[in-house]
Amino acid sequence: MFDFLFVIINEIRSYFVPEKVTYEITGECKKCGKCCNYMYSYDTYTEKEFKIMQFLFPAYRRFYIKGKDEDGNLIFACKLVTKEGLCSDYEHRLAMCRKYPAKKISYPGKLHEGCGYKVIIKSFDDYLKK
C-alpha cells in the first residue's frame, strides 16, 4: 500500500518539475596536460572573435588556436604547458585553470581519454531513486 502511495505522489510531482539533467564532475587530475592542449570556448566561433577576446583580455594571449574539430569548433591550446604536461606559470594561472573542471556544470562536458575526471549525468529519475 505504501509503495502505491509513493508512486502516485511521485507521479503527481513529475507534472510540476520539468525534466532537468545536471552534470557532476568526480575524480582527480593526473597532470597529463591534455586539457591545456585541447580546449574549447563555448562563445568563440571564429579566429576574428578570438583575436578580439585576446585584445580585450590580455591574459588570454597565452592561448592559441590549435585547429578545428570535426564539427568546425575552434580548439585552443595554452603556450605555457611544458612537455611533461605541467603549467610553467602555475602561480599565475588564470581563474578558469584553477577552477577546472567545475564540480557542477549545466551542459554535457567531454573529457579527454585517460583523464582522471569523470562526468556523471544526473537526471530527474536519479533524484527520485534517492
Side-chain angles (χ1 to χ4, degrees):
M1 179 69 173
F2 181 72
D3 289 336
F4 178 71
L5 288 174
F6 188 70
V7 168
I8 290 176
I9 289 169
N10 282 336
E11 184 66 29
I12 292 168
R13 280 183 179 170
S14 71
Y15 289 101
F16 298 102
V17 179
E19 179 70 25
K20 183 174 181 179
V21 177
T22 57
Y23 305 88
E24 187 177 324
I25 307 289
T26 62
E28 61 185 44
C29 183
K30 291 185 174 180
K31 296 177 178 41
C32 67
K34 289 179 184 176
C35 57
C36 305
N37 283 307
Y38 195 94
M39 62 182 100
Y40 290 96
S41 173
Y42 64 88
D43 56 356
T44 306
Y45 305 103
T46 66
E47 290 183 36
K48 184 178 179 181
E49 288 176 336
F50 179 65
K51 291 191 186 299
I52 292 170
M53 185 179 77
Q54 287 180 314
F55 176 75
L56 295 174
F57 305 102
Y60 287 93
R61 291 185 187 144
R62 66 179 58 206
F63 302 113
Y64 65 95
I65 298 172
K66 188 171 188 170
K68 291 185 177 185
D69 68 4
E70 60 276 355
D71 297 322
N73 299 310
L74 293 176
I75 301 167
F76 302 96
C78 182
K79 298 174 188 174
L80 303 178
V81 178
T82 65
K83 290 180 182 179
E84 295 80 27
L86 302 174
C87 182
S88 63
D89 193 18
Y90 189 79
E91 295 297 319
H92 300 104
R93 68 194 190 282
L94 301 177
M96 67 181 236
C97 300
R98 288 174 218 222
K99 294 177 184 177
Y100 182 85
K103 295 300 176 197
K104 291 196 178 199
I105 54 177
S106 57
Y107 54 90
K110 289 184 181 179
L111 297 172
H112 301 283
E113 180 114 9
C115 181
Y117 292 106
K118 290 189 170 73
V119 177
I120 310 284
I121 300 170
K122 294 194 168 220
S123 69
F124 184 68
D125 290 336
D126 294 328
Y127 291 104
L128 288 177
K129 291 175 187 173
K130 289 184 180 178

